[in-house]
């Protein structure tokens, strides 16, 4: 038979440049999410206070996932980071998109829009990473030749 391939972790399927760019976007997105949460929290509205508090908490979680060096004094932060790193990228993308959508309806202001938008962009980037390549050339050539779907281009 054919040799069995070892399943790759999600980080091994992506080039180091995309992994680094994802980390940078996630860290900036989480930092701006938390920072804009502070400005959103400074309000006379209870809903905006709650939205800002959620943004700060969610932003701290994202920073812990993306840049564990900022949370090096918490022993459990490394465990959480390793757990998330061993999961597929589409789960991280979904998490970031969901976390970025939750606070905005509570307080639709400019600061919450900027903070939520920054984390949303990081989530979309991880979604693009999860989709991966469109296809390799051999698979595209076989599909173009018509042999894959039973259609033949020859008369």
């Amino acid at each position: 038979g054919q040799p069995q391939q070892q399943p790759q972790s999600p980080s091994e399927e992506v080039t180091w440049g995309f992994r680094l760019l994802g980390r940078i976007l996630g860290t900036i997105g989480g930092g701006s999410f938390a920072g804009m949460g502070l400005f959103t929290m400074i309000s006379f509205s209870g809903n905006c206070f709650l939205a800002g508090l959620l943004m700060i908490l969610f932003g701290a979680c994202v920073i812990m996932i993306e840049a564990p060096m900022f949370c090096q004094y918490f022993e459990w932060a490394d465990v959480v980071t390793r757990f998330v790193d061993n999961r597929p990228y589409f789960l991280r993308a979904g998490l970031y998109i969901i976390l970025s959508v939750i606070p905005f309806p509570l307080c639709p202001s400019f600061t919450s829009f900027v903070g939520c938008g920054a984390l949303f962009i990081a989530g979309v980037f991880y979604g693009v990473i999860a989709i991966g390549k469109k296809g390799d050339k051999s698979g595209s050539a076989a599909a173009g030749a018509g042999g894959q779907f039973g259609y033949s281009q020859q008369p």
Side-chain angles (χ1 to χ4, degrees), residues 4-17:
Q4 297 290 327
Q5 284 187 325
Q6 295 292 331
Q8 294 181 336
S9 70
S11 63
E12 292 175 1
E13 298 172 358
V14 180
T15 62
W16 66 271

Side-chain angles (χ1 to χ4, degrees), residues 135-153:
D136 59 348
K137 291 184 179 185
S138 63
S140 299
Q148 184 175 358
F149 298 108
Y151 297 110
S152 175
Q153 293 181 356

Side-chain angles (χ1 to χ4, degrees), residues 33-148:
F33 194 58
M36 290 296 147
L38 182 65
F39 289 116
T40 302
M41 204 166 101
I42 302 171
S43 171
F44 295 111
S45 167
N47 285 343
C48 288
F49 182 82
L50 178 63
L53 185 65
L54 288 175
M55 288 172 70
I56 292 170
L57 291 175
F58 293 161
C61 291
V62 170
I63 289 173
M64 181 183 62
I65 291 170
E66 292 295 338
M69 67 200 110
F70 294 130
C71 304
Q72 64 186 348
Y73 296 109
F74 299 114
E75 294 177 10
W76 49 269
D78 189 44
V79 174
V80 172
T81 302
R82 277 188 274 132
F83 177 78
V84 172
D85 282 344
N86 290 329
R87 301 288 170 252
Y89 282 118
F90 72 87
L91 292 176
R92 190 180 297 193
L95 175 70
Y96 290 176
I97 289 172
I98 289 171
L99 290 181
S100 69
V101 170
I102 291 173
F104 187 71
L106 293 173
C107 183
S109 65
F110 177 73
T111 55
S112 64
F113 177 75
V114 170
C116 292
L119 188 59
F120 189 84
I121 289 171
V124 168
F125 183 77
Y126 274 117
V128 170
I129 288 176
I131 291 172
K133 296 181 192 177
K134 288 173 64 174
D136 59 348
K137 291 184 179 185
S138 63
S140 299
Q148 184 175 358

